[in-house]
Amino acid sequence: MAMDKMCAACSKTAGDGLIMTTENDCDCCDCQKAHGKAHTTDSKQSKQEQNKVADASEKTGTQVIDYRKAFDDFVPLPIPDCPICYVTMPLSEYDIHMDCCGQVICHGCRMRVLQCAFCRAHRPRSDSEILAQLNKRVKINDAVAITRLALYYYTGHRGLPQDQNKAFELYQRASTLGCPQADFILAFFYYKGLITTKDMEKAKEYLTKADNGGIIQAGYWLGDIKKSEENIEAAVFHYRVAASAGMPEAIDEVKELFKDHRVSKDELDQALASCHTAQEATRSKDREEFDRLMRERDEWNRDKRIPSHIFE
C-alpha cells in the first residue's frame, strides 16, 4: 500500500490539499519554520502507523479502526460528584467507601465527617468496628465492600490474617458483581502472575472491563500495552482519553509521542486543555488541606520509619 505524504505537525495529507514545496517543508500550516525537519518523508510516523494497520487488516480480513475518529466520537462515562460537597471526585479517590452504608465520598469530606451524613453511624474507632460494618455490606453483595475486604486479606490489614488466595476469590466475586475496581486489580494479578498464572490475554480482558467501567487508570495501562505492541494509534487513543479525565501521566505520554511526531500539535493542545479543565473541576479547599496533611504525614513516616497504615 502506497504511503501518502503527510505533514507531521498538522497531520494533513495530499487529500486535504497538502502541497510539499520541498523535501523539508510544506504550505499546509503555519509551523514550517518551527517544525521544518518534521516535514520530511522519513518522519511521517503517523501515516506509517495507519498503513501498517491497514496492511495487516488486508491480510487478516479484520476491520480497520480509525482511532482518531473514534476519539472524536468517544463519549466517556461521567465521573461522579461527591454526594456531600458536590465537587467532581478525584481519579484516585473512588475507593473512599463508607463501610456503614456503602456511600462513596471524597477524601476532603471524609476528613471532616465524624458521623455518616447518610445513615448517621458514628465513625468506627477500631479494626473490629470497621470489619463489623464492612461484613454487613459484604453479606448483601456490596461489590465495593467485597473489594475492600479482599484488600485487607491481601495485605493482612485490620487484624485479618494475610490470605492472598482468599483475597483473589473475593476479587473474583466482586468482579462477577460488576465492580470495575476489582477488574482492575485482577488485571494486575494476571499481568504480573501474582497468586495466579501469568496470562496477558486475561489481563487485557479485565483491563478492558475496568476501562469500560470508568477506571481511567485501566485505559492508561491499555495505552502502555498498545504502545509496547507498536499499535501507536490505539495507544494515542487511550492516552488522550486518560488525559481528558485529568491524568497527568497520560499527558506525559502524549508529549513524548508528540516529540516523535506521532501526535499532532492540535491533539497535544487539546489534551493539555482538557486535562487542565478536568483537574480544576476536582479542586476544593478541604481536599487541598487533606493532601497537605498527607504529605506531612508521609515525610514524618519516612523520618521515623513508621508504617503509614496506622494513620488510616
Side-chain angles (χ1 to χ4, degrees), residues 83 86 91 150 188 231 238 263 278 280 297 303:
Y86 295 104
L91 291 180
F188 177 78
N231 190 347
H238 287 295
V263 171
E280 287 298 311
R297 184 200 71 174
D303 293 340

Side-chain angles (χ1 to χ4, degrees), residues 114-134:
L114 296 178
Q115 186 181 38
C116 179
F118 307 98
C119 70
R120 302 304 179 187
H122 287 281
R123 189 169 181 172
R125 298 182 178 180
S126 66
D127 288 343
S128 59
E129 290 181 4
I130 291 173
L131 290 176
Q133 289 185 347
L134 193 60

Side-chain angles (χ1 to χ4, degrees), residues 127-166:
D127 288 343
S128 59
E129 290 181 4
I130 291 173
L131 290 176
Q133 289 185 347
L134 193 60
N135 281 318
K136 288 182 179 179
R137 304 297 307 173
V138 170
K139 288 180 180 179
I140 61 173
N141 284 332
D142 182 329
V144 178
I146 294 170
T147 301
R148 284 174 63 82
L149 185 61
L151 174 64
Y152 295 156
Y153 273 111
Y154 183 77
T155 59
H157 196 24
R158 300 298 184 195
L160 291 174
Q162 188 174 27
D163 189 339
Q164 295 187 347
N165 290 325
K166 175 71 171 177

Side-chain angles (χ1 to χ4, degrees), residues 17-37:
L18 171 68
I19 301 174
M20 296 294 288
T21 56
T22 69
E23 280 298 309
N24 298 324
D25 204 37
C26 74
D27 287 337
C28 66
C29 59
D30 297 327
C31 57
Q32 296 96 325
K33 292 183 180 179
H35 301 286
K37 293 182 180 180

Side-chain angles (χ1 to χ4, degrees), residues 259-301:
K259 291 178 183 178
D260 293 336
H261 313 299
R262 305 293 184 94
V263 171
S264 71
K265 184 65 165 61
D266 286 344
E267 289 170 336
L268 174 61
D269 289 343
Q270 182 184 17
L272 288 168
S274 60
C275 185
H276 177 74
T277 299
Q279 290 174 347
E280 287 298 311
T282 67
R283 296 189 186 280
S284 75
K285 291 183 178 180
D286 283 344
R287 294 177 189 179
E288 291 174 358
E289 174 66 10
F290 181 90
D291 291 339
R292 183 188 67 79
L293 292 173
M294 290 300 99
R295 286 194 297 271
E296 291 181 358
R297 184 200 71 174
D298 291 341
E299 291 174 1
W300 190 80
N301 289 345

